Every structure is written in structure tokens, then in C-alpha cells.
Amino acid sequence: MRGNAVHPGYARQTLIALRTIAWKETHRYLRIWLQTLLPPAITMTLYFVIFGNLIGPRIGPMAGHSYMEFIVPGIIMMSVITNSYMNVVSSFFGAKFQRHIEEILVSPTPNYTILIGYLAGGVGRGLLTGLIVTFISMLFTDIQIQHPAITISVAFLTALLFSLGGFLNGIFARKFDDIAIVPTFILTPLTYLGGVFYSIDLLPGVWREFSLVNPILYMVNAFRYGFLGESDIPIQTAYAIIVIFIVFSVCLSLYLLRRGVGLRT
Amino acid sequence: MKALSLKRLNKVYAGGVVALRDVDLEVDEGEFFGLLGPNGAGKSTIIGIVSSLVRKTCGSAEVFGHPVDREPWEAKSVLGLVPQEFNFNGFETVNQIILNQAGFYGINRRTAHERAERYLSELGLWSRRNSVSRTLSGGMKRRLMIARALIHQPRLLILDEPSAGVDIEVRRSMWTFLRRINTEGTTIILSTHYLEEAESLCRNIAIIDRGQIIENTDVRSLLRQLTAQSFLLDIQGDLAEVPVIEDFHLMPVDDSCLEVEVRSDQSLNELFARLAERNVQVVSMKNKSNRLEELFVRMLERPAEERRKPEQIETTT
């Protein structure tokens, strides 16, 4: 990268390239909204109907709130996590598989611009899906947001973290099976066990302690705190864990891009 | 100014496959340069290293004086690549692909639109600008990749097998277009299997085999290495018997066609005169095969230790 900082066209090229990749990624998920935005809306509506409306009244209140109110933040966060991850992993691996990632790799676009561009797509889809699910939840319960700044910042940081996760998965993936393994065997179990449908205070001692190693628990609880003002874990700890994971994932992504892992032979 | 400079470039792939061995190559600015070699010779590895898609093992590669590994921004900014394989998003339209590529190079939207119209029109794709790229024919896809590679007006354009799978009419129009942009100042490096294409377009060529440059010279000098050529002569009427002419070796192809080998120190006029003496009238004549192609095959057949010797090559073409 020697000489980049002094070249007069560098900043301009980088900004236009970033805008191009970010728009390309955004346009992609908007163009195929039947595959990207509609399915989570339907799935989450079913969660609200089945768990909130049908089963919820039999379960009774949780952490001082109705069961429907309790699960709404978790279900929104579940859609944010899944969609931000899936957007980046499928788009980046698709670009690798069809080899049109080479369009960017042969251009002077710096690695960090490539990363930010793809993350913009993932974060955008994650937050848009979260917003859609939030509107749907309003059809089922009169939800109030206690701490809007915390709600928005946690949603953004979580979408960013899982977009990074999708990017890393996309770098290492060699076939389509590889992009399904992580969401199926890691992401989904961790999300379901991350306190979306229950408070960890309900768990017996050892299982409660075990749950605390699940990073998704912290995100779901921090987000729930933003909505309800209630959380199983301290909010500062949640922020710290999310930020640590983000910093680590950014450094790893840039290192892998620099080494050309999965991209250059 | 050297558009491309490779010095002692080596590439060993994972698993120990040696793709390049101490490759030295220089291409002057403004050249139309041919890079020839059989499959697996190392052409695409060289192109990959220059365009940063392949990591070199050691040595140096510079584009207009900028090392591709240490000054990638400068090197990539002046380089355009037309790869061998289609590598655009099949779900995007022609226009989207071109405009996105312009964006990756930092070209503003207005300029990108102007250039897209220019290059797509010149390459006969303007009417298909809103077509989804996967619906294009093979020839159109090739031309799309050329337009895409030119959108940032590179000083060096590298084309890796641009004519593969393209019909002759499209190929000829592509040649005309490439000649013109070369005349306008773009340095072009052409990797091709069509040796007729290299002979027609390139002033200088390098032949690579098994990761080594075995010849690097201008096309005229290379063709002078031919000491003999074979011609096919179409004869008026049917031949009763093959005429015997001293110093010329004539062989029948069929009843009205002869094959003759003519050395560089012999004259075709003399051959025609002697055939006329025997009442054999030649109505048309053509080379048996492309001269460069025959020379190329002969060079690759030489043992490795002889390849760098500047000897004359005996050939039947």
C-alpha cells in the first residue's frame, strides 16, 4: 500500500468504490426481496402467532412482562442476526463462486473498502428485516421502547458482528455446503439457546453458567434491555463482548483479505 | 517506458507444481504484444500475477514502473484485464456490470455513463445494454468483458484468449477494434491460441513453455527462422501424373492439387515457369498451414536444452 496515502486520486477512488459496492449489495437484496425480506417476515409472524398468542398466555408472565412482550426483542434480534449473516455469506461466496469477485480484486479498491462495502449490505438487510419484524410485532402487542439509543446501537452492532461472521464464512467456504454448515449447526442453536424464548434465570445452576458462554445471549439481553428495561446480564458486559468480537473479526477479515485466503492462489 | 516488466518471476503452487521459472519479460509502452504457449505453459499464471489474482513466489512484476505487490493501487489503476473465463455477475444487466466496474475504479457516474455508451456502441452492445448478461451470446459476452476492461481507459490492456468460442466475423471486428485502441496509445498484451491472430495483430511475441520463456522476439524475425514453406497448388484440369522438377519436391494431394515444399533460397516464379513448361497451369495457391503455427509447434517439439539456441528451424511450412 506504499504510496497510496499520497496519491491524489486515492481518497476519491476509495469513496466511489465503497459507494458502488455498498449500493451493489443493497440493490441485490432489494431486487430479490421475495427471497430476502419476505421469508423472515412470514417466519417471525408465525413465531408471534404460535409462541406469543397461542402458547404465551399458558406460560404466563416472564421477567415481569407478558410472554409476548418478552419474546418480541429476541425474535427481532434473531431476524437481525440471521439476515445480516446470510446476506454477506451468500453474496460474497456467490461472487467467489461465479468469479465476479475478480472484478473488484483486479481494481485498485483497497481491502478495507471491499470489507466495508459487503458489511454495508449485511447490516442494511439485517436492520431492514429487524424493522419489518418490529412493525409486525406491533400487530400483536403494544410494545414500548424504553431506551431507544441502546436498542438501535445494539441492533446495529449485532448486525455488524454477524455480517463479519458471514464474511469470514464466505472467505473460507469452498462449496455451497460450507455456507450452510455454520448457520445450521452453530448459529441457529446458539440463537435458540441465547435467551430468545426464556430468561436464563429459569435454568438450573450449571445450565445457567453454561449459557453465559453463548455470545448471542448478551446481544439478545442487551436488545431486550433497550425495549423493556430488563436484562439477565449487565448491559456494559454485553457491549464489551460485542465490541471485542467485532474488533477481532475486523482484524481477522482484513488479515485474510491481505493474504488472499480463498481468493488468490 | 516499460508497460510491463517481469524479472526472475517464479511461481510454485501449493502441492509443488512449478508454474513459472525465472521468467524475464519486458513489454514496451505502445506495443501489441503476443504471449503464446500451450495449455498449462504459464500464460495465465503470468497474467494472474500481473493482475494480482495470483501471488508470486519470488521475483518482481511491475506495471509502468509500479510493483504490483508494493504499489498495487498505482499498478491496478492503469491495468485492464479481459480474462479467459466469463467472470461477471450473470444476474446483472450489461449496463450495471459496466457502471459497477467504473465505480470500482473511482470513475464518477456521469463519466461512467458516457464511456459506457461509447464502448458498448463501438463493440456492438449498446442495444443490449439492458439485457441480463447471462442471456447474451458467447461473442457478446466476450465483447462485454472487453468493454468492461476499457471503462477506466487503462494504459495496459491484457487479453487472455479473447477470441475463444467467437465466430470469425466477430473475431475480425474485434481485431479491428483492438488495432484501433492500440494505435490510440493503449499497450496490449494478447494471450491466444489462435496463432493467425498473433501473426496478424502482434509486432512482438514471447513463447512460453513449461514455465519458461523459450522465445522473445518480433514476429518478422521469428518467421525468418522458417527455412522452407509448404504450399498447396490447385491445378487446372486433372493431373495424369505428378511432374518431376529438379530441386522441388512435389506430392499429389488429389487429382487437381499438388503440395510443394519451397526453400527460402528458391523462387516461386521458377517453380511456376517449370510447371508451365510441363503444361501444368496453377489456378490458385495457398500456404498449407499458418506459418507461425507450424513454427510454434516445431519450437515446442525441440528438446528443452536446445530451445534457447538461436538456430534456424527446418520446417515443412
Side-chain angles (χ1 to χ4, degrees):
Chain A
M1 299 292 282
R2 193 185 70 183
N4 287 351
V6 296
H7 198 285
Y10 178 75
R12 187 169 174 275
Q13 181 275 324
T14 302
L15 278 174
I16 294 177
L18 174 59
R19 190 182 66 192
T20 304
I21 301 171
W23 170 242
K24 183 177 150 81
E25 286 305 294
T26 305
H27 183 253
R28 191 193 75 88
Y29 71 73
L30 291 176
R31 178 168 48 86
I32 52 171
W33 62 274
L34 276 169
Q35 298 170 48
T36 54
L37 301 176
L38 189 61
I42 293 172
T43 308
M44 299 309 158
T45 302
L46 291 173
Y47 278 123
F48 289 133
V49 170
I50 295 166
F51 291 99
N53 267 8
L54 300 180
I55 300 174
R58 293 168 189 265
I59 294 173
M62 188 151 313
H65 298 271
S66 73
Y67 190 64
M68 176 65 96
E69 284 176 349
F70 182 84
I71 63 169
V72 162
I75 287 176
I76 294 169
M77 190 51 87
M78 195 159 76
S79 65
V80 170
I81 288 171
T82 310
N83 282 279
S84 50
Y85 189 94
M86 287 311 296
N87 193 72
V88 181
V89 73
S90 58
S91 177
F92 191 72
F93 179 72
K96 264 176 62 174
F97 188 77
Q98 290 188 62
R99 298 182 63 175
H100 59 82
I101 190 68
E102 291 175 4
E103 291 178 334
I104 303 176
L105 295 178
V106 300
S107 78
T109 307
N111 289 336
Y112 65 84
T113 308
I114 299 173
L115 180 63
I116 297 170
Y118 272 93
L119 296 183
V123 170
R125 177 171 154 190
L127 293 181
L128 183 57
T129 313
L131 201 61
I132 292 169
V133 175
T134 303
F135 284 130
I136 292 170
S137 74
M138 289 173 176
L139 301 173
F140 296 91
T141 183
D142 184 20
I143 200 156
Q144 301 291 319
I145 299 176
Q146 301 297 322
H147 306 287
I150 291 175
T151 307
I152 293 167
S153 62
V154 171
F156 174 80
L157 291 172
T158 304
L160 181 61
L161 175 56
F162 283 93
S163 296
L164 281 159
F167 192 84
L168 288 167
N169 190 172
I171 282 180
F172 286 112
R174 291 187 173 189
K175 51 188 188 300
F176 278 100
D177 288 350
D178 296 339
I179 66 170
I181 287 171
V182 175
T184 306
F185 296 104
I186 299 173
L187 206 56
T188 305
L190 286 181
T191 307
Y192 279 88
L193 297 171
V196 171
F197 296 103
Y198 57 87
S199 165
I200 59 166
D201 288 339
L202 295 177
L203 298 174
V206 65
W207 289 107
R208 188 183 187 284
E209 297 302 316
F210 190 67
S211 293
L212 292 174
V213 301
N214 179 0
I216 293 177
L217 176 81
Y218 296 86
M219 297 160 206
V220 169
N221 271 279
F223 194 65
R224 183 172 288 135
Y225 180 82
F227 266 81
L228 308 176
E230 299 282 343
S231 172
D232 291 342
I233 45 96
I235 191 76
Q236 295 86 349
T237 309
Y239 271 111
I241 285 175
I242 297 170
V243 170
I244 287 168
F245 271 103
I246 287 173
V247 170
F248 173 77
S249 302
V250 167
C251 293
L252 183 59
S253 298
L254 290 175
Y255 170 77
L256 294 171
L257 280 174
R258 187 179 166 81
R259 292 291 309 273
V261 174
L263 298 171
R264 304 175 206 268
T265 50
Chain B
M1 183 76 175
K2 299 295 177 196
L4 179 70
S5 175
L6 308 179
K7 286 180 185 149
R8 299 186 69 81
L9 192 63
N10 284 267
K11 174 64 185 177
V12 181
Y13 284 106
V17 177
V18 180
L20 299 178
R21 301 166 197 264
D22 289 333
V23 168
D24 289 314
L25 184 66
E26 289 190 332
V27 177
D28 287 325
E29 184 173 10
E31 276 252 29
F32 204 131
F33 191 90
L35 186 60
L36 313 180
N39 288 334
K43 304 186 299 292
S44 292
T45 300
I46 288 178
I47 292 170
I49 290 173
V50 173
S51 57
S52 307
L53 293 174
V54 175
R55 284 171 293 171
K56 64 184 170 66
T57 303
C58 62
S60 75
E62 295 183 358
V63 176
F64 284 100
H66 301 292
V68 295
D69 51 349
R70 284 181 287 121
E71 296 177 19
W73 195 87
E74 287 84 352
K76 289 174 172 181
S77 294
V78 293
L79 178 69
L81 175 67
V82 180
Q84 191 173 348
E85 312 258 341
F86 300 129
N87 70 341
F88 45 75
N89 189 336
F91 298 99
E92 290 179 345
T93 65
V94 169
N95 222 22
Q96 281 171 337
I97 289 168
I98 298 290
L99 295 177
N100 283 340
Q101 191 72 7
F104 301 148
Y105 284 84
I107 296 163
N108 67 49
R109 208 73 175 167
R110 187 177 167 183
T111 308
H113 276 287
E114 288 169 4
R115 289 186 190 172
E117 183 172 355
R118 177 190 160 189
Y119 289 117
L120 290 177
S121 299
E122 288 181 4
L123 286 159
L125 288 172
W126 182 243
S127 62
R128 300 297 303 270
R129 63 189 179 281
N130 294 320
S131 301
V132 176
S133 61
R134 69 174 184 275
T135 64
L136 300 179
S137 67
M140 286 177 177
K141 287 175 180 171
R142 291 268 164 219
R143 284 179 278 152
L144 169 59
M145 293 206 295
I146 294 176
R148 185 184 64 178
L150 288 171
I151 196 70
H152 62 290
Q153 298 186 330
R155 293 171 69 191
L156 172 61
L157 177 67
I158 299 179
L159 302 112
D160 195 358
E161 304 285 355
S163 303
V166 170
D167 67 50
I168 190 68
E169 189 183 350
V170 173
R171 194 184 307 166
R172 299 274 173 179
S173 66
M174 204 185 281
W175 290 4
T176 306
F177 177 78
L178 293 174
R179 272 196 201 98
R180 187 165 60 71
I181 62 167
N182 177 244
T183 309
E184 289 169 359
T186 306
T187 308
I188 296 180
I189 296 176
L190 173 72
S191 162
T192 181
H193 277 118
Y194 296 104
L195 300 185
E196 179 200 357
E197 188 169 63
E199 188 177 343
S200 170
L201 293 171
C202 303
R203 285 187 288 277
N204 295 297
I205 62 167
I207 297 176
I208 183 169
D209 185 37
R210 288 173 243 187
Q212 289 184 303
I213 301 285
I214 59 171
E215 188 62 76
N216 185 2
T217 183
D218 62 286
V219 174
R220 282 171 184 270
S221 303
L222 192 65
L223 291 176
R224 273 201 293 272
Q225 292 183 22
L226 289 169
T227 56
Q229 292 188 65
S230 284
F231 295 97
L232 295 175
L233 309 177
D234 289 320
I235 306 301
Q236 195 170 46
D238 287 349
L239 281 167
E241 57 180 23
V242 178
V244 178
I245 301 174
E246 194 182 348
D247 284 345
F248 288 98
H249 180 54
L250 290 157
M251 290 177 296
V253 176
D254 56 39
D255 289 344
S256 59
C257 184
L258 287 171
E259 180 181 333
V260 61
E261 189 176 290
V262 181
R263 296 193 312 270
S264 55
D265 61 342
Q266 292 178 313
S267 157
L268 280 171
N269 284 344
E270 185 187 343
L271 171 66
F272 292 146
R274 294 224 216 148
L275 284 170
E277 285 169 8
R278 288 161 178 78
N279 292 323
V280 177
Q281 299 296 318
V282 178
V283 292
S284 67
M285 182 187 79
K286 64 179 179 183
N287 274 92
K288 188 184 174 190
S289 61
N290 177 269
R291 297 175 300 168
L292 189 57
E293 188 172 303
E294 195 60 33
L295 189 60
F296 177 78
V297 171
R298 294 278 163 162
M299 292 184 87
L300 297 182
E301 284 173 350
R302 274 191 290 170
E305 62 272 15
E306 289 180 18
R307 282 179 187 160
R308 285 182 183 273
K309 293 178 186 171
E311 61 176 15
Q312 293 284 291
I313 298 167
E314 193 70 35
T315 173
T316 57
T317 307

